[in-house]
Amino acid sequence: MKAESQLHETEGIRHDYVDKVTGAACFVSDVVVPGMLHGRILRSPHPHALIKRIDASRALRMPGVVGVLTGADLAGLNPNWGMYLRDRPIIAVDKVRYVGDPVAAIAAVDEFTAEEALEQIEVEYEPLPFVVDAEEAMKPDAPLIHEAPETQKDFYVKGETRPVAGTNIFQHHQYRNGDTEQAFASAFRVFENEYSFPMVVHYAMEPHVAIADLQPNRATLWTCGQSLSAVQKVISQLFGYDLVNIRVISGYVGGGFGGKAFVKLDPLVAALSWKLGRPVRVCLSIDESMRTARRLSGAVGLKTAVDRDGRITAKSIRVVLNGGAYSDTGPIVAVKAAIRAIGPYRIPNLKIEAFGVYTNTIPGAAFRSIGGPQGVWATESQMDEIAHAMAIDPVQLRLENMVGKGEHIRPDLRPLDIDMASMLKLTEHELSSIADDQRAGAAAVGATDPGIFPLAAAMVRLKVDGSIVVHANTVEIGQGTHGVLRYVASKLLHQPLGRVQYAMPDTDIAPFDWGTGGSRSTVVMGRAVQMACEDIIRQLAQLAAEVNGGSPDDYALSPAGVSGNGKCLSISDLTYAGWNIRSGEYIGIGRVTPRTPGMTPAPIFWETSAGAGKIDVDADTGQIRLTTYVSAADCGRALNRTAAEGQDEGAAMMGIGHSLYEEIVYEDGQPLNASLIDYRVPKIDDTPQRFRTLLIESGDGPGPFGARGMGEGAILPVAPVIANALQRQYGVRIRELPLTPERVWRALRERSLEQESGPAVEPALEFRSAEASQPAPEPAQQRAGYRRILDSVRRRFGASDQRPAPQENAIPAASEPQSGPQGIAFSAEFVVPSPVANVWALFFDLSRIAGLIPGCSDVVELEPNRRYSAVMRQRLGVFKLEVPAVIVLEELVEHRTVRARATGTDKLTGTSVDVLLDLQLQELEAGKTSIAVHSTTQVLGKLAALGYPIVKKRARELFGEFEQRLRAELDA
Amino acid sequence: MLPSRFALHRPPSVEAAIELLDRHGEAATPFAGGTELLVAMKARALRYDHVVDLKKITSLRGVRRLADGGAMIGPLSTHRELSSDPVLAEVLPTYGALSSNIANVRVRASGTIGGNLCFAEPHADPPTYLCAADAVVHLAGPRGERALPLARFLTGEFSTARAHDEILTGIEIPPSAVTSRIAYESIGHLERPAVNVACRADDLDGQRRFRFVVGAACGRPTELPALTGQLPASDEVEAGIRIRQLAEAACDKLGDVADDLFGSADYKRHLAAVLICRTFMKIRSMEVRQ
C-alpha cells in the first residue's frame, strides 16, 4: 500500500504562529502550578574560590521566604551530574568555578521576595588563583579546576571522554590516518596557521526556565530544554526516581540553539523542590542565561601540505577549545570541531588532536553546528590563504580537492551524500547574478556530521472521523518542527493539515525521544512519524481485507478513505463495518533505533553548506558590511519551504554575529559584557541587502520524502567568506574573530604603512585654541605616531597579527599601568624631598594618611601596627559605594616596607573590594626618599559586572590621586 | 532582575516634584523614560526608596520657539518625538536624524532627552551635538532656578552638576546655534556609540570658524581647539587630506580616552579624527547644495 503525496502544499503548517502573535502560546514561563514557589539564584562573584561559609539565616527570617538551597543540603546525594563527566554539582559544593556559578538558591512566595532575600545571604569566600585562557589552563602550573571528575561512558550521549588526570584537560582526542610527517617532509609547500574563535552566547530570546515538583514517589518537571528524556535521565540519576515516575513536560520554547540542549537549569530547580516539598519555578534573566551556557571558544591550528597543483597531501589539525567551568557536551564539541576542520576535502594523510579544557569561565556547551563554525572558520580561511599564495583561484582550489558524492571524507564515516562541487558552483553563479558590482567576492563551504543518536519514537492516533494527533517529544523551539511532523502525517494519512494536531511533548504520554537538536528531527522523528502512519495504514488495510475480502495489499488509503477490491470506505464506514460502532481510533507506533535501516554508520546524513558573499569595508574605520550573501543547502526535500529558508537565513545571520560583533570579553576573571548592554547580536539592519538562500532538493535524504536535516549548516561559511573577501578586496588576512572594526583597521593600517610614504603636506588650515595656536604636526612625527599605534597592536582589543612593527622612528608609548591577571594593577615610583623617617611617620599618622586616601574616613586602630578599620566612600555620579573596610598590615619593615590589605563589601550593592597595597621606601641621600607604590585591586559583584572598565579606570584614578596627594604632602 | 521596593510618586508640577526630592533627599530619584535608570535599578546597582515620576508634568514636554530666535526643548520630550518635531527641525535641522538613530525603537519611544542628559552615560548621542549647539540647561530646585551651559553641566561619566533635589526644566538652544550649521556623525560596532563628533560652522567677522566636539570616547563631550582659516577653494581632496592631518594631531592630544570594549584608546582617537573630517565635509556639502 502506497501513499501518494503532493509536496509543497503547506498552507497552515505553522499552527503555532497565531498563538504566538496573539500571546496565547504557552511557554514554560507561563505555566502556573498550584502552590508554586519562586526561586532566585545567588551567583558567585569570584572566578575561582573556596566557599568558607554561607549564612542564610537572615534571608530565612524574611516574611515570604520558604527555604534556601546550598551545597550543604546535598550531603546525602552524589550531587554531581553531567553528560560525559559528572563534574557539575547541582549547586556549588565547597567551591565556585566561574563568575556566575550558582552558590545558593532561595525559594519564596514570589520572585520579588526571593530576589530581596538573596541580598541577605552572607557568603565568605577564599579566592583561589584562576585561569580563563585554554592554553594557559593546559600549563602544568595552572590552577586545577576539577579534581578527578567521574567519567560516564554512553550514559546519555554516545561515547566517552578522555580526560588527562591531574590537569584541566577534560578531553584529549587523537586520530591518525596515513603518515602526515612523511607527507609534510616531501610536500611542495606546507602552510601552518592558527585561527581563533571567540566566546559567543546563544542568546535565545527566552531565558532558561524550569518548574519542578518533586514529591516522594513522583517528580514532575516543566522544562525549556531541548531534550525531555535527558532531563528525565539526569533527575533519575540524582534523586533516585524510577524513570517512569518522572514526568517531563515541555511548552513552546523561545529559541535554544543548543543553549538548552540536554540539561541545564533543571537539576537545581528540582533540588529546591526536593528540599522544600513544594513546586518551585525558576525563570532566569537574560544576563543569567548568558552566564549559563555559551559556545566553546578556542583556537584551531592547521598544518596543510600541498603538491605543485595545490592538491592537499596531508593535514594536521590541532584544536584547543576552552570548555569553561563544566564540561557539559564540550568533549564531543572538541572532537567535532576537529572533524569539521577537515572540510569536504580528500586528505590522504590526516592527523587530528583535539583538547577540551576547563577554565574559570561560563560553561561551554553545544551550539548550532557543534564545533562547526570553529573548525570551518580555520579550514576555509586557510584554503583561501593557500590559493592566494599559490595564485590559484580559491574556488578552483576547493573543487580540485573536493570529495565527490559517495566518496569518504574519513574512512570511518559515512561517505559524503551530497554533491558539494555543484553546490559551490551554483552558489558562486548566484552571487555573480545578484551582485551589482565587479568587486571580488569570496566563497566557503562546510561539511558537518551531525552528532545525532538515532533513537526516537512517535505515536500517531487516527480518530474515526479522520482527524489525527501526533504524539512525539520533539520540542518546538521555533524551528517549525511540529508543523513538519504534522505535515508528514497529513500527507501519509491523506488528511488536510488543519485536521492534524500535535500534542505538546510530555514524557507521560509520548514515547522516548533522544532530543531536539543536531538537525535531526525532520529525519529521525520524521521517520518515526512516517512509520507510525504506515502502521496505521497497515491496520486499515488489514481491517478492510477482513471486511471486504482480498489481501491487505489490495487496499490503499486515499483522501476519500480506504479503497480496494472495488470498494471505497471512509474511515468511519470501515470502522463501523469492522467494529459495529462509529467510535474508536487507530494507533500507530513508529520507532527509529540504531538498527533501523539507514541509521548507521554515522552520520545519518551530512549537513553541508556553501556560502558566497561580498563585503564593503570602510577603510578609514575598519567597519565591514556584508552587502551580498548567497547561502546554499541541500535539504533533500523542503517539507516547509518558508521555514527551511528561514532556518537557513537565520543560521547565516547568526554567523554574522560571531563574524563581526559577538564576543564575551574576560578581564581579571570577570566577564565584561555578559549582558545585552554591551553584547551586540546581529539586528535586522545587518541583513545583507542582497541575500539569497538556495535550497537544493536532491530528494535523496534519509528522512520522509527524501528530506535531509538542515538549519545549522548555513552558520558555517559566513566568517570565512567575510575574511576571504577582506583578503581578496583589501589584501589583509585576519585570523581572529570577530572581525571588529578595530582589528580590520589595524590590519589595513599596517598594510598601508608597509607600502606608503606620502609627501609632506603643508596645512592651510589649523586648529587654533583661543589662547595659543598649536603647531602643525610634522609628517615624520605623524608616522611615528602610527608606529606607536602598531606597537600597541598586541593589546587585547585589536591584536590581529603578531608580527612586530619596525622599530625606526618609534616613540616609546607612555607607560600605562596594565592590569595583571588577578586584579587592577597600579604602580608608581617617585622621589620626595623628605627623609625616610618623616615618610615613615606619615604612614602611621592615621589622620594624616587617611586624609591622603581619596574617600577614606573613620580610621580606627583595632590592633596597633596590625589591624585598622576605615570607611571608603566612592561616588561616580549616581553610583555610590560605601565600603566598611578592614585593613591588615601584612608586612612591616621599619623605614623600608609596608604591605597592607584592605577588604570590605559595599553595603548597598554587595560589591566587594580587595586592595593589596605595597609601599617600598628607600633613602637616597640626605633628605630624599624614593617611594615605590604597587597595588592590586579586585572589585567583584554588581558594579564590576555592570561596568568593569569604568571601575578599573576609576580605581587607577584613585591611586593616581593618592600618589599626587602623597607627593604634595611630602613635598611641602 | 527586579528593582528593590520603592514608592512611586507622580507629582503634577515641577514644584511638587522638587518638594518630594527635597523631602526624601538622596533616597529619591527623578524618573522620566527610565531606559537607563530602570536598567540600573533592576540590576540593583542603584536603589531608591522613592521614585519621582515626572511624566505627569506636561509643561516639560515639547519644543517651543523663544522670542530671541532660539528655542526651548522640554526635557520630557522623547527621542522619537524630537526626531520629527517641526519646531526643532526649524531650529536644528540636523538633530532629527540623530534622534531617529538613537539606540533602538523601544529606547526612542520612551527615553527622553532630559533623562539622557541627566544620567550622563558618556556613550550617548545627544550630549555631543547639544554641546556643539552651546545648549544651556535650566535647573529648578528648592534654592531657586539656575541656568548653565550643558558643557559645564556634564562633569564626567554618569556625573552632572545637578544637585539631587534639582530638576532639569528646559534645554535652551541659543539663537547663535540656529544660524550656525551643525553636522553629526557617530560610530561604533556595539549597541552604543564608541565615538561621536559634532562639527559646527559659524561665520564670524568674515572668518569661517569650525568647532568640533568629540563625545562617547571620553567621560564627557570634549571640545577641540577651533579650526580657522581658508580652505583651498578648488580642491576638495586636498582639503580633506589637510583637515585629516590636523584632526589626527588634535585627537592625539585628546585626554580621558581609555581602552575598553568599544576599542583601544588610540583607535578611538583615530575614529574621532575620521569623524571630524566627515562632519567637516558634510558641512561643506550642505553649503554646496544651497
Side-chain angles (χ1 to χ4, degrees):
Chain A
M1 187 161 154
K2 258 199 166 154
E4 295 295 319
S5 63
Q6 175 79 39
L7 290 167
H8 298 156
E9 278 176 9
T10 52
E11 175 90 24
I13 190 165
R14 289 304 296 261
H15 61 300
D16 53 330
Y17 278 173
V18 170
D19 280 353
K20 283 177 179 171
V21 299
T22 57
C26 184
F27 293 80
V28 172
S29 59
D30 298 317
V31 173
V32 176
V33 178
M36 178 170 88
L37 300 172
H38 295 264
R40 298 293 292 157
I41 300 168
L42 183 71
R43 293 172 183 274
S44 168
H46 287 272
H48 198 193
L50 296 176
I51 300 171
K52 305 305 284 181
R53 183 179 65 92
I54 302 179
D55 181 356
S57 54
R58 268 192 302 152
L60 288 170
R61 281 198 297 272
M62 289 173 62
V65 172
V66 178
V68 63
L69 179 80
T70 67
D73 295 310
L74 308 174
L77 303 175
N78 176 346
N80 297 318
W81 61 276
M83 290 294 116
Y84 289 91
L85 287 151
R86 290 187 77 170
D87 59 2
R88 185 187 324 222
I90 292 170
I91 197 157
V93 179
D94 303 335
K95 176 164 153 164
V96 290
R97 297 181 174 88
Y98 73 100
V99 173
D101 211 353
V103 174
I106 288 276
V109 292
D110 57 44
E111 278 185 297
F112 179 77
T113 305
E115 177 109 8
E116 292 275 288
L118 289 185
E119 302 190 332
Q120 302 303 321
I121 302 176
E122 281 176 45
V123 186
E124 195 184 308
Y125 298 97
E126 181 185 319
L128 295 171
F130 59 86
V131 60
V132 299
D133 177 79
E135 289 283 358
E136 291 292 317
M138 287 169 77
K139 291 183 178 165
D141 57 347
L144 192 62
I145 297 168
H146 289 270
E147 313 273 344
E150 183 189 338
T151 60
Q152 313 187 98
K153 184 172 186 290
D154 300 328
F155 168 72
Y156 193 85
V157 281
K158 183 90 190 88
E160 64 184 320
T161 189
R162 291 175 206 287
V164 180
T167 74
N168 288 317
I169 299 165
F170 62 73
Q171 168 69 296
H172 183 207
H173 167 83
Q174 285 172 292
Y175 172 89
R176 243 172 209 288
N177 182 37
D179 185 350
T180 46
E181 292 318 307
Q182 198 278 326
F184 286 132
S186 61
F188 175 67
R189 279 190 77 166
V190 176
F191 294 85
E192 195 164 2
N193 306 101
E194 189 175 273
Y195 303 86
S196 76
F197 196 93
M199 187 184 294
V200 295
V201 295
H202 305 80
Y203 181 51
M205 286 179 72
E206 176 202 44
H208 296 80
V209 55
I211 304 170
D213 184 9
L214 269 67
Q215 299 303 326
N217 301 311
R218 178 92 180 135
T220 311
L221 292 103
W222 289 260
T223 183
C224 69
Q226 296 171 225
S227 171
L228 307 195
S229 301
V231 172
Q232 198 179 38
K233 176 95 175 182
V234 167
I235 296 300
S236 166
Q237 183 188 42
L238 288 170
F239 298 98
Y241 294 94
D242 285 346
L243 286 169
V244 77
N245 286 328
I246 301 168
R247 180 181 183 189
V248 185
I249 302 168
S250 154
Y252 284 121
V253 175
F257 312 112
K260 295 170 182 169
F262 304 111
V263 182
K264 296 287 179 287
L265 178 64
D266 317 86
L268 193 160
V269 186
L272 260 178
S273 173
W274 168 79
K275 180 176 175 188
L276 303 176
R278 288 179 62 177
V280 181
R281 168 188 185 270
V282 177
C283 182
L284 301 187
S285 66
I286 286 288
D287 293 21
E288 288 182 289
S289 269
M290 291 173 88
R291 285 164 175 79
T292 298
R294 46 96 177 172
R295 193 190 278 280
L296 280 86
S297 49
V300 178
L302 298 179
K303 188 175 175 185
T304 306
V306 294
D307 68 12
R308 197 170 296 277
D309 302 318
R311 272 189 295 265
I312 300 170
T313 56
K315 189 167 184 173
S316 168
I317 299 166
R318 184 177 185 270
V319 172
V320 176
L321 290 191
N322 181 335
Y326 302 105
S327 61
D328 199 283
T329 41
I332 186 67
V333 176
V335 175
K336 291 288 183 189
I339 295 177
R340 291 165 183 194
I342 302 171
Y345 304 120
R346 224 171 277 115
I347 317 277
N349 300 287
L350 177 66
K351 183 181 160 197
I352 285 176
E353 184 166 36
F355 294 94
V357 186
Y358 288 124
T359 62
N360 295 110
T361 60
I362 301 162
F367 191 150
R368 205 168 197 165
S369 188
I370 59 168
Q374 296 96 318
V376 171
W377 155 242
T379 277
E380 289 302 285
S381 291
Q382 200 192 39
M383 287 303 277
D384 261 50
E385 290 199 62
I386 295 171
H388 182 73
M390 297 186 63
I392 302 173
D393 174 71
V395 168
Q396 205 48 48
L397 179 79
R398 286 180 173 82
L399 293 173
E400 191 65 51
N401 285 288
M402 201 168 273
V403 166
K405 188 169 180 171
E407 278 185 70
H408 282 277
I409 286 178
R410 233 173 73 164
D412 55 332
L413 299 175
R414 179 188 296 269
L416 187 64
D417 57 355
I418 284 171
D419 180 356
M420 289 196 67
S422 301
M423 187 191 242
L424 176 58
K425 284 185 248 176
L426 199 64
T427 309
E428 267 263 293
H429 180 262
E430 183 72 10
L431 180 71
S432 52
S433 72
I434 67 168
D436 63 352
D437 59 66
Q438 295 305 308
R439 285 169 307 157
V445 292
T448 67
D449 54 326
I452 296 168
F453 199 77
L455 202 54
M459 178 167 74
V460 175
R461 293 153 72 190
L462 173 69
K463 300 287 183 181
V464 70
D465 62 355
S467 60
I468 298 164
V469 58
V470 176
H471 295 273
N473 278 339
T474 295
V475 179
E476 179 57 64
I477 51 177
Q479 80 281 48
T481 188
H482 287 181
V484 163
L485 297 173
R486 285 169 55 240
Y487 174 83
V488 170
S490 149
K491 286 294 152 199
L492 292 172
L493 297 177
H494 296 282
Q495 292 294 331
L497 254 176
R499 302 196 73 200
V500 184
Q501 298 301 315
Y502 194 100
M504 288 307 269
D506 181 338
T507 58
D508 260 11
I509 300 167
F512 181 95
D513 175 41
W514 185 71
T516 304
S519 301
R520 75 190 279 278
S521 298
T522 296
V523 169
V524 180
M525 190 56 86
R527 278 282 289 278
V529 170
Q530 180 181 8
M531 289 155 87
C533 293
E534 286 162 358
D535 186 14
I536 288 177
I537 294 168
R538 259 194 311 276
Q539 295 170 37
L540 294 172
Q542 176 68 39
L543 186 60
E546 287 170 17
V547 170
N548 289 333
S551 135
D553 292 344
D554 301 336
Y555 290 87
L557 187 63
S558 72
V562 181
S563 51
N565 211 8
K567 285 188 182 165
C568 178
L569 293 176
S570 69
I571 307 295
S572 176
D573 289 344
L574 175 66
T575 307
Y576 190 66
W579 302 343
N580 302 321
I581 192 161
R582 292 191 184 275
S583 278
E585 67 182 9
Y586 300 84
I587 301 172
I589 301 291
R591 187 180 292 120
V592 173
T593 75
R595 296 179 173 281
T596 303
M599 292 296 144
T600 46
I604 300 169
F605 57 88
W606 284 86
E607 184 168 358
T608 63
S609 173
K614 294 191 177 194
I615 60 170
D616 257 355
V617 178
D618 177 342
D620 259 350
T621 64
Q623 282 181 317
I624 293 179
R625 190 176 163 84
L626 182 61
T627 57
T628 312
Y629 194 73
V630 179
S631 171
D634 185 337
C635 62
R637 190 69 76 202
L639 303 186
N640 177 354
R641 177 166 276 274
T642 308
E645 285 175 352
Q647 282 288 301
D648 199 76
E649 287 163 6
M653 284 304 291
M654 213 164 201
I656 291 177
H658 65 231
S659 301
L660 298 181
Y661 308 114
E662 295 183 48
E663 177 171 25
I664 295 276
V665 176
Y666 266 86
E667 200 166 318
D668 299 336
Q670 299 279 333
L672 296 190
N673 56 342
S675 84
L676 288 178
I677 297 174
D678 284 327
Y679 187 90
R680 160 85 145 83
V681 294
K683 299 189 285 191
I684 195 70
D685 305 347
D686 298 308
T687 313
Q689 290 135 308
R690 289 169 292 275
F691 189 14
R692 287 281 163 82
T693 273
L694 301 175
L695 285 185
I696 299 164
E697 297 190 75
S698 57
D700 58 359
F705 315 114
R708 178 178 282 118
M710 61 93 57
E712 300 187 275
I715 199 171
L716 302 168
V718 183
V721 162
I722 295 173
N724 293 344
L726 189 65
Q727 181 170 36
R728 294 191 76 184
Q729 282 175 240
Y730 295 88
V732 296
R733 170 56 60 181
I734 300 179
R735 303 190 184 95
E736 188 177 14
L737 291 178
L739 302 166
T740 58
E742 182 172 348
R743 282 179 177 145
V744 174
W745 172 74
R746 287 196 191 284
L748 293 172
R749 176 54 59 95
E750 188 179 353
R751 182 171 177 275
S752 72
L753 278 178
E754 281 166 5
Q755 297 172 348
E756 62 96 39
S757 253
V761 189
E762 198 62 35
L765 295 141
E766 54 185 321
F767 275 105
R768 197 185 294 156
S769 65
E771 299 80 34
S773 64
Q774 291 170 353
E778 292 299 318
Q781 187 188 339
Q782 219 181 43
R783 243 185 299 286
Y786 295 153
R787 300 275 182 236
R788 196 183 63 226
I789 288 166
L790 287 178
D791 286 341
S792 63
V793 150
R794 246 156 260 99
R795 248 182 289 159
R796 57 165 314 124
F797 290 104
S800 66
D801 198 326
Q802 297 304 311
R803 195 154 17 134
Q807 286 305 304
E808 78 268 15
N809 296 335
I811 295 174
S815 71
E816 187 187 317
Q818 292 287 329
S819 68
Q822 314 272 337
I824 305 161
F826 176 87
S827 291
E829 284 192 48
F830 49 92
V831 176
V832 291
S834 193
V836 74
N838 291 6
V839 178
W840 191 256
L842 168 64
F843 289 164
F844 293 90
D845 183 337
L846 294 190
S847 60
R848 269 176 85 203
I849 193 79
L852 300 183
I853 301 170
C856 178
S857 65
D858 308 306
V859 183
V860 176
E861 186 180 76
L862 303 175
E863 196 182 317
N865 287 356
R866 177 73 192 146
R867 279 174 69 238
Y868 301 85
S869 73
V871 178
M872 303 290 298
R873 285 190 185 83
Q874 292 302 329
R875 176 164 201 153
L876 188 69
V878 287
F879 297 97
K880 283 173 280 189
L881 204 64
E882 185 179 326
V883 182
V886 172
I887 301 151
V888 176
L889 298 186
E890 296 186 338
E891 200 187 328
L892 209 59
V893 180
E894 194 172 10
H895 295 177
R896 184 99 202 123
T897 303
V898 187
R899 202 171 74 216
R901 169 163 244 139
T903 51
T905 301
D906 173 42
K907 287 197 248 173
L908 289 176
T909 61
T911 303
S912 76
V913 179
D914 182 340
V915 183
L916 186 67
L917 178 69
D918 184 275
L919 290 159
Q920 299 283 345
L921 306 183
Q922 196 180 353
E923 183 133 22
L924 295 177
E925 51 197 84
K928 282 194 175 180
T929 305
S930 92
I931 303 177
V933 183
H934 298 283
S935 75
T936 317
T937 305
Q938 269 195 311
V939 181
L940 301 169
K942 276 183 191 130
L943 289 186
L946 277 177
Y948 195 72
I950 292 176
V951 166
K952 199 174 72 174
K953 183 176 154 197
R954 187 76 179 153
R956 289 194 179 135
E957 283 170 5
L958 291 173
F959 280 106
E961 209 175 314
F962 169 65
E963 180 207 327
Q964 293 306 318
R965 289 187 189 181
L966 186 64
R967 293 171 77 153
E969 180 83 12
L970 291 164
D971 280 347
Chain B
M1 298 295 272
L2 293 166
S4 56
R5 202 177 293 274
F6 57 81
L8 181 66
H9 305 269
R10 305 187 115 171
S13 66
V14 171
E15 294 70 31
I18 291 168
E19 194 278 318
L20 281 163
L21 293 174
D22 185 30
R23 179 166 12 126
H24 298 295
E26 297 222 346
T29 178
F31 164 58
T35 55
E36 293 169 296
L37 180 73
L38 287 187
V39 172
M41 286 178 68
K42 284 181 183 173
R44 299 197 171 209
L46 288 179
R47 62 186 65 206
Y48 296 99
D49 298 332
H50 299 273
V51 171
V52 180
D53 182 0
L54 305 175
K55 288 196 288 291
K56 294 271 187 222
I57 310 172
T58 48
S59 62
L60 296 180
R61 304 187 88 95
V63 184
R64 63 191 164 86
R65 214 50 205 262
L66 298 176
D68 64 2
M72 187 70 82
I73 303 174
L76 285 185
S77 309
T78 64
H79 302 303
R80 187 168 163 176
E81 286 163 358
L82 293 182
S83 66
S84 59
D85 186 277
V87 179
L88 191 61
E90 271 172 37
V91 178
L92 296 175
T94 52
Y95 188 83
L98 174 157
S99 206
S100 59
N101 280 310
I102 290 173
N104 54 59
V105 64
R106 288 173 62 189
V107 168
R108 291 193 293 273
S110 53
T112 66
I113 180 76
N116 184 292
L117 298 179
C118 289
F119 204 79
E121 144 74 81
H123 294 279
D125 298 286
T128 308
Y129 185 109
L130 293 174
C131 279
D134 289 335
V136 172
V137 296
H138 292 257
L139 298 165
R143 294 163 301 283
E145 293 183 8
R146 60 180 179 135
L148 73 166
L150 177 61
R152 282 207 285 125
F153 174 76
L154 299 167
T155 54
E157 281 146 336
F158 304 103
S159 307
T160 66
R162 186 183 70 84
H164 75 268
D165 51 7
E166 284 184 305
I167 284 178
L168 177 60
T169 53
I171 301 145
E172 184 186 342
I173 306 300
S176 58
V178 180
T179 54
S180 73
R181 297 176 199 288
I182 301 176
Y184 176 79
E185 286 277 330
S186 161
I187 196 163
H189 74 294
L190 300 176
E191 184 76 12
R192 298 175 288 162
V195 182
N196 51 37
V197 169
C199 169
R200 169 176 176 167
D202 292 275
D203 286 323
L204 296 167
D205 310 324
Q207 173 97 314
R208 165 113 316 178
R209 184 160 175 264
F210 291 97
R211 291 167 55 196
F212 298 94
V213 179
V214 178
C218 6
R220 62 194 181 113
T222 305
E223 180 153 356
L224 296 174
L227 179 68
T228 54
Q230 293 304 310
L231 281 174
S234 55
D235 193 344
E236 283 294 317
V237 178
E238 189 84 331
I241 293 170
R242 288 179 188 185
I243 178 83
R244 175 63 170 272
Q245 289 175 328
L246 292 165
E248 295 263 3
C251 291
D252 260 1
K253 297 188 180 69
L254 205 59
D256 190 28
V257 183
D259 294 351
D260 59 24
L261 289 167
F262 297 87
S264 306
D266 62 340
Y267 173 61
K268 288 186 287 188
R269 289 196 182 98
H270 162 79
L271 287 181
V274 171
L275 297 189
I276 284 173
C277 299
R278 290 186 181 175
T279 49
F280 178 81
M281 297 316 262
K282 218 167 159 177
I283 287 199
R284 300 260 299 163
S285 69
M286 285 179 205
E287 289 169 350
V288 170
R289 274 204 304 275
Q290 281 178 352

